[in-house]
Amino acid sequence: MNDQLPMHDSLSDESDRLPILAIVGVQGHLKIIPALAKHFQRPIEVMVITGQGMEYAKSLDSSNVAKVHSLPDWHKRLWVEVSRMSDSEVVRESRDLQEDLRLNSVNPYHYFDRNIRNLSSWFAVIRRHLINLRFVKHLLVNRKYHFIRGENTSHVGCMIQAAAPGLGHRFLRPSNARLPRRIGFDGRPHAKNLGWESCYRNICNGAEPDESIVRGADEWLEKFRNRPERPEWAQRNSRLKFSPIKSTKSYSKLMIGKLNRLFTKSSEHQKFDRDIGFARSTGLNFAQHVIFPDIRSAVHRRRKLFRSCPSLEGDFVYYPLHYTPEITTLVYGYRYEEQLSLIHALSAYLPTGCRLLVKEHTSMLGRRPYGFYKKLDSYYNVE
């Protein structure tokens, strides 16, 4: 990472001690914070949106963290006040805050956050929106940072991404989590653009594709046609054929980790995450996200639909389904986040005589209902 970054006019005459604001939401961020502090030699302010995030922030070296901005603390402090406001007061203040943040609506970011999206109560949702807007204004308005580093699909995280550039903040995030060595500031790429997106743009602009890339793709396809198989690295975390020994080891490891978190995480933060809808009890969460998908995966594999192998002869377009929910589909995918609708559109516009071959992500088998695959199977040119 290069410290010589393009500066906004509003920041050009500022002190070299402007802090960096970093979002902490998952365990991987614990490695990013010390790296930022070491490289830039600046104070780091941390923003957390869950009780689990608070636990992560506490585990950071205090010498690397100048301040922690906690949404759980904001929610705890403001919920009683906001609950007493009328709906009209909540909506009016929310619209005023949107104007301050230069946002058109809170609804697109509501859609990206599955924890809020799963709430059906108008009373609760609009008040969650208001608290989140107040929190984002506190972070962004009349404040200056060297840059903001974020990658988060929460309602708050998405609003920060949308509002920061318009308020004069530089925002650092991967422009695409699947393109290596590519980063962007305020939507402008500042590193070498590698990956399929650059190839696609070059083709759209009429450029001839790189011969080495084409040759490599042809060699891979020929090898795969002759012997279709999953790479070894893809098998390690995949939901493949049920294995009692492998499953028992996996369940034990996961359960020990969850129980350890249960006893090490403060009860106050656990309660916040349950009340706000970010987490359920450890047992229910384990059953819903681990055991039930494994059982459903085993049932799916015995169905006729999954026991036939599609032909690779003739013209076809290959579409690998994506893991979901994930930032690559939920935020960067935008209107294409609903993959069933995307496949429907693709099948309708394929050339005559061309098929669409759809491959499930091996970590998702058992997580989608069987009706999803039955719908795909109903299209005559989809296998």
Side-chain angles (χ1 to χ4, degrees), residues 1 17 30 55 120 160 172 232 235 246 285 291 318 369:
M1 197 178 287
R17 299 304 296 164
L30 299 183
E55 298 293 326
S120 58
I160 290 174
L172 171 64
E232 183 181 346
Q235 297 186 36
K246 181 181 177 182
N285 190 56
I291 297 178
Y318 169 65

Side-chain angles (χ1 to χ4, degrees), residues 232-300:
E232 183 181 346
W233 58 265
Q235 297 186 36
R236 287 195 289 269
N237 297 315
S238 301
R239 276 193 160 82
L240 302 175
K241 187 176 181 180
F242 180 75
S243 167
I245 295 177
K246 181 181 177 182
S247 296
T248 300
K249 289 181 179 179
S250 176
Y251 289 169
S252 300
K253 185 177 179 181
L254 287 169
M255 204 61 196
I256 289 172
K258 289 182 178 294
L259 288 174
N260 181 58
R261 184 184 299 175
L262 184 66
F263 290 113
T264 56
K265 185 178 176 182
S266 75
S267 57
E268 179 185 358
H269 293 151
Q270 290 179 53
K271 185 176 185 302
F272 172 82
D273 284 350
R274 285 197 299 269
D275 292 345
I276 210 67
F278 276 104
R280 304 173 69 184
S281 68
T282 301
L284 285 174
N285 190 56
F286 187 76
Q288 180 183 1
H289 296 292
V290 180
I291 297 178
F292 180 65
D294 276 355
I295 294 174
R296 187 154 63 176
S297 173
V299 172
H300 283 352

